[in-house]
Structures are given as C-alpha cells and as structure tokens.
Amino acid sequence: MADTKHETKLLDELEKGPWPSFVKEIKKSAEKNPVGHDLLGQLELSYRDKISHWKHGGIVGVMGYGGGVIGRYSDVPDQFPNVAHFHTLRVNMPSGWFYTSDVLNKLCDVWEEHGSGITNMHGSTGDIIFLGTTTDQLEPTFADLTANGFDLGGSGSDVRTPSCCVGKARCEWACYDTMKLCNDITQEFQDELHRPAFPYKFKFKFSGCANDCVAAKARSDLSIIGTWKDDIQQDDKAVAEYAKNGLDIQKDVCNHCPTKCMDWDGSKLTINNRECVRCMHCINVMPKALRPGKERGATLLMGAKAPILQGALLSSVLVPFVPEDELMDTIKELVDRVWDFWCEYGKNRERVGELIQRVGMGNFLDAIGLDAIPEMVSAPRDNPFVFIQTDEQEAE
Amino acid sequence: MADTKHETKLLDELEKGPWPSFVKEIKKSAEKNPVGHDLLGQLELSYRDKISHWKHGGIVGVMGYGGGVIGRYSDVPDQFPNVAHFHTLRVNMPSGWFYTSDVLNKLCDVWEEHGSGITNMHGSTGDIIFLGTTTDQLEPTFADLTANGFDLGGSGSDVRTPSCCVGKARCEWACYDTMKLCNDITQEFQDELHRPAFPYKFKFKFSGCANDCVAAKARSDLSIIGTWKDDIQQDDKAVAEYAKNGLDIQKDVCNHCPTKCMDWDGSKLTINNRECVRCMHCINVMPKALRPGKERGATLLMGAKAPILQGALLSSVLVPFVPEDELMDTIKELVDRVWDFWCEYGKNRERVGELIQRVGMGNFLDAIGLDAIPEMVSAPRDNPFVFIQTDEQEAE
Amino acid sequence: MAEQPVKRVTDIGPPHYEKFLHPLIKKNYGNWKFHESMAPGVFFHESESGDRIYTVRAGTPRLLSTQTIRAFADLAKKYCGGYLRFTSRHNVEFLLDNPDNIEPLKADLTKIGFPVGGTNNSISNIVHTQGWVHCHSSATDASGIVKAVMDALYDRFTHEDLPAKLRIALACCLNMCGAVHCSDIAILGVHRKPPRVQHDSLHKVCEIPNVVASCPTGAIRPATTEDGKKTVEVVEEQCMFCGNCFSVCPAMQLNDPENDGISIWVGGKVSDARSQPTFSKLAIPFIPNEPPRWPGVVNAVVNIVDVYAKNAKKYERMGEWIARIGWPKFFELTGIPFTKYHIDDFRFAGTTFARSAQIRL
Amino acid sequence: MAEQPVKRVTDIGPPHYEKFLHPLIKKNYGNWKFHESMAPGVFFHESESGDRIYTVRAGTPRLLSTQTIRAFADLAKKYCGGYLRFTSRHNVEFLLDNPDNIEPLKADLTKIGFPVGGTNNSISNIVHTQGWVHCHSSATDASGIVKAVMDALYDRFTHEDLPAKLRIALACCLNMCGAVHCSDIAILGVHRKPPRVQHDSLHKVCEIPNVVASCPTGAIRPATTEDGKKTVEVVEEQCMFCGNCFSVCPAMQLNDPENDGISIWVGGKVSDARSQPTFSKLAIPFIPNEPPRWPGVVNAVVNIVDVYAKNAKKYERMGEWIARIGWPKFFELTGIPFTKYHIDDFRFAGTTFARSAQIRL
Ligand code: SRM
Ligand code: SRM
Ligand code: SRM
Ligand code: SRM
Ligand code: SF4
Ligand code: SF4
Ligand code: SF4
Ligand code: SF4
Ligand code: SF4
Ligand code: SF4
Ligand code: SF4
Ligand code: SF4
C-alpha cells in the first residue's frame, strides 16, 4: 500500500475544542494503517468540495449471506487508492452492548489485521461497525469474527440487528428481560437476518419500560415496551422522605401525570392505578418510593420508521399487554403472520407500517387474525367513508 | 286540485309523545291545502318502503337568479299528483332571525297563497324554507316576497345565505356587531349570492365570540369569530360574590382554563392575560365578574366544510385579529383575492378549504398576498418533504 | 348582471333586522352587561342602564305549518309587543320586557304543545335536515327520527341537569347538511351498497367524465353496454358509499331499503370553551332504518346520554369527558362493541392510531 | 438455507451477553432496587441485596480507532475488572464495584480526552450517521458537525442544569439513519435541487420503471435522449428533493455543493414520560454547509438550547415547553423567522392547521 500523507488544513480545525475528535481518531488509526491517510485525504476533499466523494454502494458480501456488508467505492480512486474500495461490515453486538476488555481487544486484533482499524461504536441500529476494507478481506474478516464468536448483523431487506436497553442488567425498572429476549429473537431469526427475503427491512427494538431507552417506538417495525398490569409499588415512608427533602410532589409529580390520577394531600400520596397509563414519570422522579408493579410484561407496538416515503411513522399499539413469560412465543407467532402477509402483499421497499396504512388497519388485523380493540387508536375515525361490509358480503 | 286523504298508519305513530310533531304540522297545513295530504301520503309510502320517493332535483328558479330554489319532483306522481312538483324556496332571513308578529303573518300570507303552507324555521344554513310549490308559482311567490321586503337566499355554486349569532342584540359577549356585519356582507354580495359563478358554494358565518353560537368554525368557508386584544374585564367584588355563593373557582374555572393562566389564591383571582387564548370558559362561568376586553374585533378563519369529498374540515386561522371597525373592509378585500384565486385554480365542486389542502397553504398565502405566521398552525410541519425554492428559483 | 324587466325588484337582500328589534333591545343594543338564567328555557339579560330583556325559549319541530307560525305570532302579540326570534337550533324565543308575562306565556306554550327549555346544560333542539320529506339523497328520514329521539329526551330538554351542554344533530346522508360532524352526538344516515348504475339512462342524463371524476376512490370506470351504450361501471370493493356520484348523476342510484340506515358519532364540539373544536368520532357504524319510531337509534342515543350524564364531571362536554376517561372506557361503559370499522383507514389514517405506550391496563 | 462449505461457521449470531456481565451484575440481575446519581456521568444502582454497581459514563466521537477502544479496555481492566459497555447514544460506560475507583477513573478519562457526563438533565451524545466519511447520499457531513456542536455544548454534557433531558440527533439525508425524527433537536441534511439525470448511464445501471415508481410525487417520467437512449426526465416543480430516486438509481445525482445544507427540527421525544412520543417539527428550513466548523448550525443549536434552558420549567422537555408557551412564542423567543415552508403541505397537511379560535393576542 502506498503510504501518502495528505494535507488536511480544514479537518485539522476539527482537532481543536474539548469534545473528542473523530479526526484525531482517524489519524491515530493512520499511524498503523495508511488507509487512514487516504480516508482523511478524501474527506478533506469533501470538505473543500462540500460534497460526498463516495459512489453509490455496490453489492458485496460474504458467502451465503445477503446482508451485513455495505459496499462502498471512492469516486476519486486515483487520488486515494487506499480507499478505492472501502466497504463496511456490520458486526452484531452482544445484547445491551456489554463487553469485556478481552473481547474488545480481540475485535481490535481482527479489524487491525483485515481492515482500516476504524470503527463506529456503534452504528445507529446498534451494530459494531467495521469501517472500511476491501472485497478480498471480507471472507477472512468473517472467518476471524466467527472464530471469536461473533457474526454479522443485518442490512438490506432482512431482519435488522435487534437491539435492546440495558434492562435487568442495570435498571430497576425493566418490566421484562430485554437482553435475553433480544438475544433469543436474534438467534431465532438468524436466517431471516442474514438472507434478505422481505419486501424491505424489519427492525426489532426492546425497551424495558415506557422511557424507551432504545427509542424503539420511533424506529423499529416491532417495538416491545415493558409495562405492568397491577398497581405501582409504593413505599409511603420513602415518599415522605422525598417530600421532606424538598421535592414538591404536587407540582413536580402529580401535575405532570398525564391522567392526573395521583392525589397528594400533603402527607399521603394516592394513585388511582386503574387510571394510570404507565407513563413512568412519577417513578422516574421518585425511584426510591415508587416502582413498576409486580405483574409485568410488555406492550407490542408496530410500524415505526423514518420518513422515506410517506412520512415518518411511530409504532402504534397492536397488543396492549403480554405477560413476560409469553413474550417469546407471542412475538414469534405474531411476526410469522405479519411477515406472511407482508411478503405476499407488501410492495418492494414498503415497510410494514406503510403497508398497514395502505391496506388499512382493519384489513391488516383481519389478515393477521387479531381483533380490533379501542386501545389501538387514540380516537375512532372521524370521517364517514367506511368500507363497511353488509352481512351477505361478510358471508361471502 | 284533487283532495285525497291518504291512510297514514305509520306516520300517525309520530303524533304520539310529548315533543311537538311535524306530522301534526303537515296535517294542519293539509286542512288548508291538499298538497299536505299528498306529502303525507308519499311520506307514508317512504316509511313503508324505507326509501325516498323524490327524484333527483331539476334546475328551476326565478328569472335572473341561478339560486334560491331547489327543484324537486316525485317519483310516484300518479299516486300523489299534488306533490308531482314540490320545489323549495330559500328565503333569506333577517340577521339574527328576528321577526315581528306582523312580518311573520305577511310571510304566511304569501306562502299560503302560493305554496304548501309548510315551512322550515329555519333551514340549517339559516334561510326561511318555503317547502313545496310548483314551477308556475315560483315567480309569483318571488314577486310577493320582494313586495314585502324579502329576497331569496343562496343555493348552488354561489355565496350562500350568511348567518350570524344574536350578538349585540341580546348578548353581553359580542366582540363585534355580528348582525350588522352579516347584513352588510349579505347586501354587499347580492350578485354573488343570486348568480352562481364560483367553482362551488361559499359560506359566511358570524359569531360574536369563541363560543361560536352559529357553529361558524365547523361549517363556513369564512368564519368570523369575535375576540379581544386587551385584558379580560374583571370585577373582583363580583368574583368574591361567586366564591361566596359556592362556586369552586379553582376547580370549576382555573382548572378548565386551557392555558392554566389563571391563579386563584382563595381570595384574589389573577389572570395572565398574555397567556389567555380567549376561550371564553371563565367568562361563561362568571358572566357577572368577567367580560371580554374593551379592544375588540374578530379572528378570521377559513375553510370549514362537510366531509364530501376529502373529509370534513374545520376553519383554520388566517388573520388572528382584525379591529371591529376594519372588519368590513378587510373581509371584502380578503374574499376578493380568495375568490379570484379560487375561480382561476379551483376545480369544479372544490371548496376553498379543499383547494388550500391541494395547493398547499404556503402557495395559497402567496396567491392571496398574506404572510405566513405561526398563529396559522397548531405546529410546524414534521415531515422533511419541503418544496423549498432556492434563491435563483425565487428570483425567477 | 342579467337583463331584468323594469318593474321587477331583485337583489334587495333580506329586510334590515332593526325593523324587527324590540324597542328595549334597540335601546340597549351592544350594552348588555350580564345574563342570568331563571328557569329552564327562561333567562334575562341586564344592560348597563339596568334594563332587562327576558327570553322564553320553546322547542319546535322546525317543520312548521303557517298556522303554527301564526300561533307564535299571536303569543308574541299577546305577551311581548309582537317581538320574537328563532335560534340557530330551530327554537323560538319570545322577548319580553315584563317578567309577569313569563308564566302565562309558558302556560300558553305548553297548552299548544311547545315545551319551554333547551338552555344551559340541557339537550337543545336537534339540528336536522330534510330526509324523506324533501330530499332525494336521504339514506334515512330526518324529522321522524328527531321526533322519536326528542320524545325520549324530552325531560333533558326541559331540565338543565346535565354536566354540560349536549348538542345533537342529524343528517340524512354524508353530505351532512346538518353539519353534524362537530356534535356531541351525531345521527348520520348512511348507505352500504354501491350505486346501481342505470345503464339505459346514464348517457342521456350525465357526462361520463364527470361521473368518473366524482368518485374519491376511483371506483368508477367508463364502460359500454352490450347494445353499445356509453355508461360506467363501479368496482364494488372500492366503493365506500359516499354518494358523491349520485349527487352529480341521477343514474347512480344508491338508495337501498334493506342496507340504508344510521350511524352514531360522538364527542364533537364547536365552541372553543376550554377545549378546541373537534370532530365527532364513530361510535356505532350501523343501525337499520326502523320507521316509524326508530327504536334502535332512540335506545342508542338515550344510552349514550345516560352514561354520559352519570359519569361526566361538571363542565365536561361529551368529548372532553371521553378524552379524560379514554375511548376504551367509553366503549366499556356504553357497552358498544368496538369493530375494525372504528379504525380510520381514510386519508389521515395513522394519525389516529395509538402511537404511544400510554395505556390503562 | 444456501449451501455452505463444511468448515465454514455461519449463523451463530452474537456472543451471549452473559459472558460479558460483571459478576456483581450477574448476581443481582433483575434485582436492582433503585439508582441514585452521584455526579454528572456517575450514578449507582443498588440491589435488593444491598449490593451497588457504580457507573461512570464518558462521551465518545462514536468513530473510534482500535487504539482508543484498547485504551478503554485498559481502563476497564485497571478499574473494574475489565467490564464496560456502550450506550444507545454511543457513550461508553465503565461498571465498577468499588466507588474508590471512580475519581481515578474520571481523572484518567479526562487525561485521554473523554469527558464524563451525559446523564440526567444534561445534553447527551449526539446520535448520528456517516456523512462524507462513508455514505454516498449525504447532503452534509455528520461527524464534523457533531464535533463542532458538541464543542459548543461541552458544558451542557458535563453539567446537569437543564430543565430536563435534551436529546440531539443528526442525519445527513432524509433517509434519517439517525432516526432524528423524534429528537428534542434534530439536525438534518437536506438537498434543494432536483436530481441531475445521467442520461448516458441511466439505462445501463437502472430499471426505468423502478426509477419512475420510486418518486412519491410522481415527478419522474420515462423519456428518450436525442440519440435514442431510454432515460427519465424530472418535472422539477414536483420534486421535493427526498432522494428516493437516488437510493434506487445511482444515475439520479442529487449532491450539489451550493444547494445542499442543513435544516433544524425541534420538540420531538420518544419516551412516554408525561407526554406521548412526538415528532420533531421544522424550526429552520435551511442553513448552508460551512465546513469545517459549521458556525451557522452551531449558533442555531446553541441559541435554541439557551432559550429553552432559560424559559422551560423543570421536567419540561423541549416539545413540552413549546406546547405550553405555543409556537408563536417559540419563534419570537428564538428570533427564528417563520416562513411558508413551516406550514405542512404534505400528506397530513390540514391536520396541523390552527383549527380553533384559541389564540394569544
Ligand atoms: C450505518 C448506518 C448509519 C450510521 O452511521 O449509524 C446506516 C447507513 C445507511 N443507511 Fe440507514 N443506517 C443506519 C441506521 C438506520 C436507522 C436507525 C435505526 O436502525 O435505528 C434508520 C431509521 C429507522 C428506520 O429503519 O426507519 C435508517 C434508515 C435508512 C433508510 C430509510 C428506511 C425507511 O424505510 O425509511 C435508508 C434508505 C434505504 O433503505 O434505501 C437507509 C439506507 C442506508 C444506507 C445503506 C444508504 C443507502 O441508501 O444504501 C447507508 C449506508 C451508509 C454507509 O455507507 O455506511 N437507512 N438507517 C446505520 C446502521 C448501522 C448499524 O447497523 O448499526
Ligand atoms: C335545506 C338544507 C337542509 C335542511 O333541511 O336544512 C340542505 C339541503 C340540501 N343540501 Fe345541504 N342543505 C342545507 C345546509 C347545508 C349545510 C349546513 C350549513 O350550511 O350550515 C351543509 C354543511 C356545511 C357545508 O356547506 O359544508 C350542507 C352540505 C351540503 C353538501 C356537501 C357540501 C360539501 O362541500 O361538502 C351537499 C352536496 C352538494 O352540494 O352537492 C349539499 C346538497 C344539498 C341538496 C341540495 C341535495 C343535493 O345533493 O342537491 C339538499 C336539498 C334538499 C332538498 O331537497 O331540500 N348540502 N348543506 C340546508 C339549506 C337550508 C338553508 O338554506 O338554510
Ligand atoms: C340563542 C343562541 C344564539 C342564536 O343566535 O341563536 C345562543 C345563545 C346563547 N349561548 Fe350559545 N347559543 C346558541 C347556539 C350555540 C351553539 C351552536 C349550536 O349549538 O349549534 C354553540 C356551539 C355548541 C358546540 O360547541 O357544539 C353554543 C355554545 C355556547 C357556549 C359554549 C358551551 C361550551 O361550554 O362548550 C356558551 C357558554 C355557556 O353556555 O356557558 C354559550 C352561551 C350562550 C348564551 C348564554 C350567551 C349569552 O350570554 O347570551 C346565550 C343563551 C344561553 C343558553 O342558550 O343557554 N353558547 N351556543 C343559540 C341557541 C341555540 C338553541 O336554541 O339551543
Ligand atoms: C444507558 C441508557 C440505556 C442503554 O441501554 O444504553 C439509559 C439509561 C437510563 N435511562 Fe434512559 N437511557 C438511555 C437512553 C435513553 C433514550 C434513547 C435516546 O436518547 O436515544 C431515551 C428516550 C429519549 C427521548 O424521549 O427522546 C431515554 C429516556 C429516559 C427517560 C425519560 C426522560 C423523559 O423524561 O422523557 C428516563 C427517566 C428519567 O431520566 O427521569 C430515563 C432514565 C434512565 C435511567 C435512569 C434508568 C435507570 O434507572 O437506570 C438510566 C440511567 C440514567 C441516565 O442516563 O441519566 N431514560 N433514555 C441510554 C443512555 C444513552 C446515553 O448515553 O445518553
Ligand atoms: S427503557 Fe426503562 S427499563 Fe430500559 S433502561 Fe430505560 S428506564 Fe430502564
Ligand atoms: S406512571 Fe405516569 S400515569 Fe401512572 S401515575 Fe405515574 S405519572 Fe401518572
Ligand atoms: S357567539 Fe358569543 S357573542 Fe354570539 S351569542 Fe354566542 S356567546 Fe354571545
Ligand atoms: S378565557 Fe379561557 S384562556 Fe382566557 S383566562 Fe379564561 S379560561 Fe383561560
Ligand atoms: S343531508 Fe343529504 S339527504 Fe339530507 S338534506 Fe342534505 S343532501 Fe339531502
Ligand atoms: S358512492 Fe362514492 S365511492 Fe361509491 S362509487 Fe359513488 S362516488 Fe365512488
Ligand atoms: S442518513 Fe442518509 S446520508 Fe446519512 S448515512 Fe443514512 S443514508 Fe447515508
Ligand atoms: S428527489 Fe424525490 S421527489 Fe425528487 S424526483 Fe427524486 S424521488 Fe422524486
């Protein structure tokens, strides 16, 4: 490899300032691998031209997999030969992004040997991103990864790498075991994850409560959000303690309750748990006094995605409550039905959320065999344009 | 005219019960005019067949007018010859639906002479409805109406009969003179009202405050809603009086304030008038203590309509505040511009509200020469699909 | 302006309202200070000058014979110098300067069968439309249902014991002449069958392109009959029975005795008091037409009213109450079944999905 | 499943997380009782058994060299038995059982340039995307802007003095890989010019029907070049620069040095705490690309943060604050001009119009 340092007047400006600098990171990696210099060189050129110098991704990958690698080629390969090919590998992270020093060092060994040594910790779907290598290095990298117990994540029209919040590992509010479920689902759907067979991508994200620390409701086709059925666990002594320490329970807690189902008479806090919508606010403010109930599980919401093409969508309620121990089976059965319908009727590059909008939630529910319930809507329809079926038609 | 009483077993059931009966009304009129018998006869048939026996309306009217009459023909004329033709006249009511006994009797004279003697007081747009006459009677009815100082209202693709709340005539909250403005606008646009020249109907409704007693925001293309700019007039003694008489000012007033801009400390009520959105609730509850401010005028909202075809629309804010004395001129100038644009770009049977949705509010505002202001939206757009113009394009 | 024969008077517009104003109203026009209600259907307004105008409001069927109008005129003559008005909800209001006349007027009104009430937290008159009395589009009657429902709600009109105003409106087809779309309770006539195309007459009475264009869902296609007549055909699965094709073309018959009927909508409002104006939402997709007294509709409306009256807090309109308790609770309390038809699948579908994990469990 | 050579290992999925859990976490897995924060970036969780696990969180640029990863690994070895994790916002967290190691660890982190913070009511790390470092679609860079903005917001990361959490995300094109659409502040790269069709290559690299179908506004039509090549043409007025045609076809070049740039969005959130999840709304339609330090974007973000910090009440997220004061006030306080571009004209346009007379005057 030609070792050519490039002048980077503009990028050098981004070494200044208190926040850790990605330019420094690239320069560091360049000390070991000249690819870094050409990456800086091309990036400097982009900074001058105010334009990306990457060509439209080509299809590259490892044998037998349809996803996990993003092909990338420079549009100025002559100037920057070391990044002429600059493909990305998506490596499936462990649930909750937990590591040991040893395993991190192993991953570094692999990537220093086969790639640029530049990474993203992590990609915004959650994968470990190995940023930049050549086609011939893909198989060797993959071999070393599997040898170390790692596998590739998703890309293309497949199940994308599921991710989850830290959950029971380090959070008192986890209403189900997010890390285990995330891991089990990932293992269960290895084939769907590695071999794109869907109309488009499908994302799972797991959050242990409504705080939704992996933003599942905003960016996953199936969002699994922890919740509880019984009453909030309440420790009156601890409540009093908070009050004593200056927390204004009326103002800071009760007034922010979305259903105003809390009553504070100055000494006793009373929660009307049947009116509580499990928003977490009061628990967030008084973690020592209030905790989610004991009868725990999750709400299943479906359909979130980014704006391309019909506007962004948030996931919406499909199943209000599934007990923790039934989650795995319920989800498997649900996605089976959803994927069948989607694969048959979904258009190319149509996400599940868009399909629901196109065919109508009512028809979608019929297709996957769920009953319509009011929990699925913020309000019933306000327009009278109902494709209502008369009895004969229904008979048909 | 053949005087045939028909058997009305089903309709007779509707003479029973405490609420005044329209069947009795039709029977009464039948005493004077056999048309009533045939109307009852055909209606009884509809009650048996569960179907309307009126044919699709034909175009009939008075000379030189394109609106004001709804043509109607029976689909069973042989059975009910007296209603073979059964046209409706829409007579423009006086502002606020005020009458004297004398003028009502005159109207009755006219209608007994030329028609069925059956009326609606009033139609849901607000007109006096003369229900049922024959084509040859249209001109004579019109002549007698004008002789008595009345004129026809709107129908078809024209300005529809404007209506207004009782306003200053009998309401302490009227922020502008609804009856005068309604009357002036009606007189101003006589030609547009009688001679359809628009893509579709255009409705004006005038309410003196946000209570909106003529439901203008829900059903008029231009909704004029009274409001005020300065502070709510407050009489602290009267407030105390209400409290003394058992009104729970915190619960019944402050807690219902949409902006929570009211503070009641048990003896003094403080309103943050800059946060007040003029919703009227507190004034409604304490009419003796609170009154709209002194600097009065109206908010102009545009675009309400029934659901056909793109779903119902509510009017939305176009001009947040117009001082009372500028209302007439502002409205005239505004509708001039709106009608120009609508007549040029509106599709056949496209209401103004639908046009705005189709071309986009931004383009609509450009066309009528208004600046976009945040008061026009509940929130800015959340999708990134902006038809943004670059400077050159704007220059173009 | 079109040519007019000389003598013919046109474009004079309505008579000026001032001619019809009670002298006391003219005197205090714009100077009213406050109002106070005295009894259901009776209230007075006091002006800065201390003058008081008393109002007595009575319910009417809206469809009135000239005899009844004259009867009102006579009562006005007898008790208030001949000054009266009608309201935006088809009630009649007598305007008195002498409170002693209130009771006798009420007595006379009751005698001739017109109930006094409809004010404040009562159920006022039902805004409604023509139905089988005069319209060709109607999927149901108007006046008959209004009569049957108001008979059942009579005490709610003559008493003011509801948590807040409750406004009911009826429209006999989706054109919604009653502008029912923002009512606490809306009664709406609906079709449930695609139009039956009159192939023989269509080409004579309608412009094919207009008919095709009239369909919001694109369910209508140009076609030709065996015997070569130009006509249209309807893709039935794409039809949601809006009736717009019939509005523009008589040859698209929609009326269907067995499948036409009524839907019930709840929770709309127009005023800006407290909460902003909102559309009514679907409560019951279909109730068959049951003339002459529509028991199904009457019971449905009465049930919703009773459940609301029992559960809502003071000042809560129907929709404000439901917003507080949530739609699941509304369907539970009323016992109305929730179906897939309740979930929006029209233009803005998705904006009404429950896009949050906030759920009562 | 496709054929695989015998020795080749596939479909093993990620390693099981348990291997990487601190013994104390394994012991108390699912038994945490409460947490308490000790300082910005430092908090502990106590379990039913009374055990405590301490967390020290540090910000990272997300783009990391193996050297830095190894440095983190060394620190973990040194202070917490080699146990660490990363967060959903690209921060690194060290998991300690011994509180005495907190300060030394913080010292070492600061020494090698990684700030401790990002917890509670601070501004955490900016979720972001590839930009010019690796993506072909980018209308702007990602890492560079994040660096410039975080430099300016550094103290907001290391302090917890905001009214509530404030979450910033960046995406370099409308694909929104950063899922920025529900952020308190979203920084979004935008194009402003229709695609430049590469007529010579298009027919070679793309399926014309797919390209035509890719356009949500139907702006793309099939066409033919003078020399008879099949290609497409773009109706420029119908293009809103979404880039979807480029995603499916490289011959639809969108990148444009002068017209690409950045838009700013505010008021979104994901959590259900208090208010339901909401999308971010348009605040600033366009700011030009100004590498290397994007002063325009930095100032815009800092201004919005400062105005929010100054005016919002405790516990109010950006969007909750704006909901209380109203959008007119937001634009007034921030001095951001409101334009016609702020008014929605896409699919759900109309639902965001101010359909009420409730206005602050
Ligand atoms: C690497 C990553 C950004 C990052 O720097 O972190 C990324 C990078 C790309 N995304 Fe993404 N997306 C990444 C997370 C996301 C997310 C966030 C998430 O998954 O939580 C979203 C929004 C959520 C969603 O799925 O809706 C996202 C929505 C998209 C879309 C729009 C999809 C849609 O249905 O709206 C596209 C366009 C497409 O698929 O053609 C896209 C396409 C792409 C492509 C493949 C560009 C393209 O058009 O082919 C990018 C490759 C860049 C490159 O050269 O490396 N990416 N993409 C993220 C994956 C890393 C990882 O695996 O951890
Ligand atoms: C008479 C009246 C109902 C009543 O019994 O009170 C009425 C009756 C008719 N309306 Fe209406 N509309 C009447 C007020 C309304 C209102 C309410 C209002 O004006 O406040 C609306 C809803 C508000 C609005 O305009 O959106 C209304 C929305 C419609 C529509 C749908 C218009 C739309 O843009 O959505 C149609 C359909 C049409 O125009 O073709 C319509 C059409 C009709 C037609 C002409 C039927 C037709 O398709 O041609 C009806 C004639 C019935 C007949 O034979 O007498 N009527 N119509 C009302 C007029 C009386 C009057 O002048 O006072
Ligand atoms: C007479 C009438 C105006 C007219 O010019 O005809 C009228 C008159 C008054 N209205 Fe109204 N409203 C009248 C139709 C309406 C309508 C329109 C409608 O119902 O179609 C509305 C909007 C209803 C809605 O939101 O859907 C309306 C919403 C109000 C409100 C707001 C109620 C609320 O809390 O939402 C008030 C304030 C109040 O009642 O506290 C109000 C208050 C009043 C007051 C008290 C105003 C005043 O100080 O004089 C008037 C008499 C009291 C009463 O009726 O109890 N008026 N009022 C209308 C009588 C209709 C009827 O016969 O029942
Ligand atoms: C570590 C992490 C989960 C993970 O598996 O990585 C996490 C951890 C915690 N979150 Fe979170 N949240 C994490 C991302 C999120 C996200 C997702 C995001 O930002 O993209 C959200 C949704 C944000 C949104 O709504 O847009 C999130 C919304 C919350 C909330 C709700 C805040 C609110 O009032 O809206 C709480 C409750 C609170 O802070 O009072 C919370 C509370 C917590 C607690 C206190 C839970 C607990 O008891 O342990 C955790 C540490 C406190 C802290 O960070 O101040 N976490 N949290 C994520 C750290 C990201 C980072 O490095 O900054
Ligand atoms: S989502 Fe809930 S359970 Fe998961 S980490 Fe956040 S707060 Fe804890
Ligand atoms: S969790 Fe939310 S809804 Fe439930 S009581 Fe606490 S604040 Fe109220
Ligand atoms: S709209 Fe306002 S001003 Fe008009 S009558 Fe009703 S309350 Fe009075
Ligand atoms: S008018 Fe409405 S917004 Fe204003 S203070 Fe009274 S209740 Fe509050
Ligand atoms: S609602 Fe329909 S049927 Fe009833 S009058 Fe109006 S147009 Fe006729
Ligand atoms: S009724 Fe409506 S949807 Fe059905 S064909 Fe006619 S226009 Fe189309
Ligand atoms: S947001 Fe757009 S430009 Fe940025 S990485 Fe994703 S696809 Fe590429
Ligand atoms: S950028 Fe989007 S709108 Fe413009 S042509 Fe391409 S696909 Fe169509």
Side-chain angles (χ1 to χ4, degrees), chain A residues 157-219:
Chain A
S157 295
D158 55 16
V159 165
R160 293 306 183 89
T161 304
S163 74
C164 65
C165 76
V166 65
K168 292 189 172 184
R170 200 207 54 198
C171 181
E172 66 270 40
W173 297 328
C175 293
Y176 69 94
D177 192 339
T178 55
M179 300 221 298
K180 179 172 192 315
L181 192 57
C182 180
N183 188 71
D184 293 350
I185 288 284
T186 308
Q187 293 294 355
E188 173 75 23
F189 296 117
Q190 280 295 297
D191 188 33
E192 290 78 1
L193 193 152
H194 294 308
R195 297 171 192 83
F198 293 147
Y200 208 3
K201 57 191 77 168
F202 190 94
K203 295 179 178 177
F204 290 90
K205 291 192 201 296
F206 303 84
S207 283
C209 78
N211 284 331
D212 197 0
C213 294
V214 288
K217 284 166 280 178
R219 55 193 190 124

Side-chain angles (χ1 to χ4, degrees), chain B residues 210 212 217 256 258-259 277 279 301 314-317 375 377-379, chain C residues 182 267-281 317 319-320 323, chain D residues 323 326 351-360:
Chain B
D212 197 359
K217 282 167 279 176
H256 287 296
T259 59
V277 290
C279 88
L301 303 92
L314 283 157
S315 284
S316 68
V317 176
E375 284 78 3
V377 298
S378 59
Chain C
C182 296
K269 81 189 270 279
V270 176
S271 86
D272 263 299
R274 300 170 308 282
S275 59
Q276 302 192 346
T278 38
F279 293 124
S280 311
K281 313 293 194 302
R317 293 279 300 267
E320 294 167 324
Chain D
T351 60
T352 58
F353 293 171
R355 302 185 293 183
S356 157
Q358 291 189 9
I359 308 176
R360 291 176 178 77

Side-chain angles (χ1 to χ4, degrees), chain B residues 11-24:
Chain B
L11 288 175
D12 297 348
E13 290 300 311
L14 289 170
E15 292 188 68
K16 304 173 183 166
W19 189 255
S21 165
F22 74 102
V23 173
K24 283 189 184 149

Side-chain angles (χ1 to χ4, degrees), chain A residues 87-142:
Chain A
H87 310 321
T88 276
L89 288 103
R90 296 180 176 176
V91 181
N92 198 140
M93 74 293 188
S95 277
W97 302 284
F98 278 89
Y99 301 94
T100 56
S101 302
D102 300 345
V103 78
L104 282 180
N105 283 318
K106 285 213 193 78
L107 286 167
C108 292
D109 298 339
V110 173
W111 192 228
E112 284 166 1
E113 180 179 346
H114 298 293
S116 67
I118 302 167
T119 74
N120 288 144
M121 297 297 278
H122 293 79
S124 61
T125 303
D127 292 290
I128 302 159
I129 304 294
F130 280 178
L131 209 56
T133 190
T134 52
T135 312
D136 56 334
Q137 287 300 316
L138 295 173
E139 274 299 327
T141 316
F142 180 61

